[in-house]
Amino acid sequence: QGYTQKYIVKNYFYYYLFTFSAALGEEIFYITFLPFTYWNIDHSVSRRMVIVWSIVMYIGQVSKDILKWPRPLSPPVVKLEMRTNAEYGMPSTHAMAATAISFSFFIATMNQYKYPFELGLVAAFVFSTLVCLSRLYTGMHTVLDVIGGALISAVLLVLLYPAWDTIDHLLLTSPFCPLLSIVVPLVLCYNYPKLDYYSPTRGDTTTILGAAAGATVGFWLNNQYAAPAYTSKSFQPGFPLVTSRMVFVLARSFIGILVVLLSRWLMKSVVLGVLGYWYQFPIGSLEARRRLEVEVPYKFVTYSSVGFTATVIVPLLHQLLGLM
């Protein structure tokens, strides 16, 4: 599994296009775009996207390890990525995430902002299609994996949409929300399907559920204590953005992402240090960090702090700096 095929890039346009598109289904995109919508667009849009994303991704990750369909053989395909090669292929969670995020964003904003319906639909379709095609180009999935992932995500969107408002209301008002937001994801992570060998799917799932848990607690706290909300008045898509308001958007995003990354680094160091002391293993030991009793609390606590920081700490900092 550590073998890498040599290859020659003959078309750099496709190479960079699909390499970039593949990154739109990974952590770097989640940790920037999802908080961006919370800081600069609308809280309700961000809440819906986070909930849909976490549910869709959990179902997709678990489905992989239950179905156990292999990835494309190499050769004949050339694999441009190696980290996820240890995972199974069906369904493509990149395809699922891209479909869920792009279309949930489109559905959540089409009645709140003035833009052509066709434009939003095309944008969502192009975004999800680029990510899906990137998985074929990089040799990580078959056509069936990608189609299956997109279809599963579409079905889940259709099933979840009627309950959006109910779920959102419960997240904001139920006194049990903080407890359930932590306990339920933790139970799911600790009872993740077991494999005969190590796969990063459990760790990635814990990362996603942890971030969603922290964000959900943040949503609830903000609603209880009437934290200032970013609404449609703060952000209107279109050319009028190229004004002084754009400066505020960029400033909020830059400061927010910097604080989020700092909190991730800090919590990762602290949690690994505590777990290393408790279980008596060197912090740099990759094998120890893959153990269930280490991986789940390490990633869950780290990324729940990321979600909480993005929804509570960063907005308070924005308010303090006069960037609301």
Side-chain angles (χ1 to χ4, degrees):
Q1 292 179 344
Y3 173 71
T4 304
Q5 270 188 277
K6 293 182 179 180
Y7 58 88
I8 298 174
V9 178
K10 294 183 178 179
N11 190 314
Y12 279 95
F13 174 76
Y14 288 142
Y15 177 76
Y16 288 118
L17 172 65
F18 291 125
T19 300
F20 173 76
S21 299
L24 297 178
E26 297 175 357
E27 180 185 349
I28 186 65
F29 175 73
Y30 304 144
I31 210 170
T32 53
F33 179 71
L34 293 177
F36 177 89
T37 62
Y38 192 77
W39 302 328
N40 297 301
I41 300 181
D42 193 289
H43 282 183
S44 65
V45 173
S46 182
R47 290 195 302 268
R48 285 161 172 75
M49 290 176 64
V50 168
I51 297 306
V52 170
W53 167 68
S54 59
I55 293 174
V56 165
M57 288 298 288
Y58 175 77
I59 292 175
Q61 295 284 73
V62 169
S63 298
K64 278 186 179 184
D65 290 340
I66 292 177
L67 294 174
K68 298 183 178 181
W69 286 20
R71 289 187 182 272
L73 295 177
S74 177
V77 304
V78 176
K79 295 185 177 179
L80 305 187
E81 298 177 14
M82 294 309 299
R83 177 189 173 274
T84 58
N85 195 35
E87 298 180 8
Y88 290 107
M90 177 68 171
S92 167
T93 46
H94 272 73
M96 293 185 71
T99 303
I101 289 176
S102 59
F103 281 93
S104 61
F105 180 81
F106 167 59
I107 294 169
T109 58
M110 65 181 182
N111 293 324
Q112 296 191 40
Y113 300 95
K114 294 180 179 179
Y115 63 81
F117 175 86
E118 296 79 6
L119 178 62
L121 183 62
V122 169
F125 180 78
V126 169
F127 177 89
S128 56
T129 299
L130 281 175
V131 175
C132 289
L133 291 177
S134 74
R135 307 315 289 158
L136 303 178
Y137 182 87
T138 55
M140 301 310 296
H141 285 285
T142 65
V143 174
L144 187 59
D145 294 343
V146 170
I147 293 176
L151 286 178
I152 293 171
S153 191
V155 170
L156 289 172
L157 269 175
V158 171
L159 294 176
L160 288 170
Y161 178 70
W164 270 17
D165 291 339
T166 302
I167 294 173
D168 191 52
H169 178 73
L170 290 174
L171 288 180
L172 295 179
T173 60
S174 173
F176 302 106
C177 175
L179 179 63
L180 293 177
S181 296
I182 300 298
V183 173
V184 173
L186 270 176
V187 170
L188 293 175
C189 291
Y190 274 109
N191 290 278
Y192 193 83
K194 294 180 174 60
L195 297 176
D196 296 332
Y197 64 93
Y198 177 79
S199 169
T201 48
R202 184 183 65 203
D204 291 345
T205 304
T206 305
T207 294
I208 293 164
L209 294 184
T216 303
V217 172
F219 297 152
W220 184 85
L221 277 175
N222 286 340
N223 185 68
Q224 299 303 310
Y225 296 98
Y230 307 93
T231 65
S232 55
K233 296 179 181 179
S234 303
F235 182 90
Q236 290 290 347
F239 293 106
L241 262 181
V242 188
T243 60
S244 59
R245 187 171 294 163
M246 188 64 176
V247 176
F248 280 85
V249 171
L250 293 175
R252 283 198 293 258
S253 302
F254 176 77
I255 292 172
I257 291 171
L258 188 64
V259 173
V260 164
L261 292 177
L262 181 62
S263 72
R264 183 181 66 165
W265 171 80
L266 180 62
M267 288 305 298
K268 179 179 178 180
S269 302
V270 171
V271 175
L272 274 180
V274 171
L275 290 172
Y277 174 79
W278 183 264
Y279 290 109
Q280 296 297 305
F281 67 85
I283 295 178
S285 172
L286 183 61
E287 182 179 351
R289 286 160 61 174
R290 289 176 170 178
R291 286 156 45 188
L292 174 67
E293 66 271 21
V294 174
E295 184 176 57
V296 170
Y298 146 53
K299 292 204 168 183
F300 191 87
V301 173
T302 298
Y303 284 91
S304 61
S305 72
V306 167
F308 185 83
T309 298
T311 55
V312 176
I313 306 300
V314 171
L316 288 175
L317 183 59
H318 286 164
Q319 184 182 16
L320 183 64
L321 296 175
L323 295 174
M324 300 297 291

